Amino acid sequence: MRDNMLGHLDIEFIQVENGLISAKMPVDQRTKQPMGLLHGGASLVLAETLGSVGALTHIDDTEFVPVGQEINANHIKSTRNGFVIGTAKPVHLGKNSHVWEINITDEDGELVCISRMTVAILRKKKKKV
């Protein structure tokens, strides 16, 4: 298991190409809130992961690093089991920032959450010798 948030929540990438990024995440004991529904925070972890990876595919990662600057979400529908699938596409790809729209659906294709994320594109700091 990957020793980071993606591994802990078992987020698995489905597609990373042509400006479209998608991944699935299980709805289980790791991602549910106490009432048994998908936790809104877990949806945001999936959304931020997709927006960040999406930005990474559009920059030179030897010189720049994408970092989340702002994220918002509207939780439209609840779900209790199975998987959710997040799909991200760019709204704006600027030199210093990107804006990504992320839709999260259940296995039936019903919209569960819609999110928008702003990603700052920062120049990497040179390591001191």
Side-chain angles (χ1 to χ4, degrees):
M1 182 177 274
R2 296 164 291 179
D3 193 21
N4 58 43
M5 183 68 79
L6 279 72
H8 295 302
L9 297 184
D10 201 21
I11 294 172
E12 179 184 327
F13 285 94
I14 299 167
Q15 180 179 3
V16 181
E17 61 188 357
N18 300 327
L20 186 68
I21 313 298
S22 61
K24 67 180 186 174
M25 180 179 69
V27 179
D28 62 18
Q29 75 284 356
R30 296 168 293 180
T31 58
K32 289 181 183 180
Q33 41 98 309
M35 299 301 290
L37 303 172
L38 176 64
H39 194 292
S43 294
L44 280 166
V45 168
L46 179 58
E48 184 151 350
T49 297
L50 289 165
S52 295
V53 170
L56 188 60
T57 67
H58 289 278
I59 64 173
D60 177 355
D61 66 350
T62 63
E63 292 191 40
F64 299 94
V65 61
V67 295
Q69 187 171 19
E70 189 272 340
I71 190 165
N72 67 56
N74 293 100
H75 305 291
I76 308 297
K77 179 180 183 275
S78 62
T79 187
R80 293 181 176 274
N81 52 42
F83 284 89
V84 288
I85 297 151
T87 303
K89 58 185 176 182
V91 174
H92 167 74
L93 297 173
K95 180 179 176 182
N96 299 312
S97 69
H98 294 179
V99 177
W100 286 79
E101 180 179 278
I102 303 98
N103 290 329
I104 299 173
T105 61
D106 62 17
E107 291 177 287
D108 295 327
E110 296 285 325
L111 186 63
V112 171
C113 176
I114 186 166
S115 180
R116 184 177 300 197
M117 179 181 180
T118 303
V119 182
I121 308 301
L122 304 179
R123 184 171 294 280
K124 287 184 175 181
K125 294 182 180 180
K126 299 199 184 224
K127 296 187 181 200
K128 295 180 182 179
V129 180

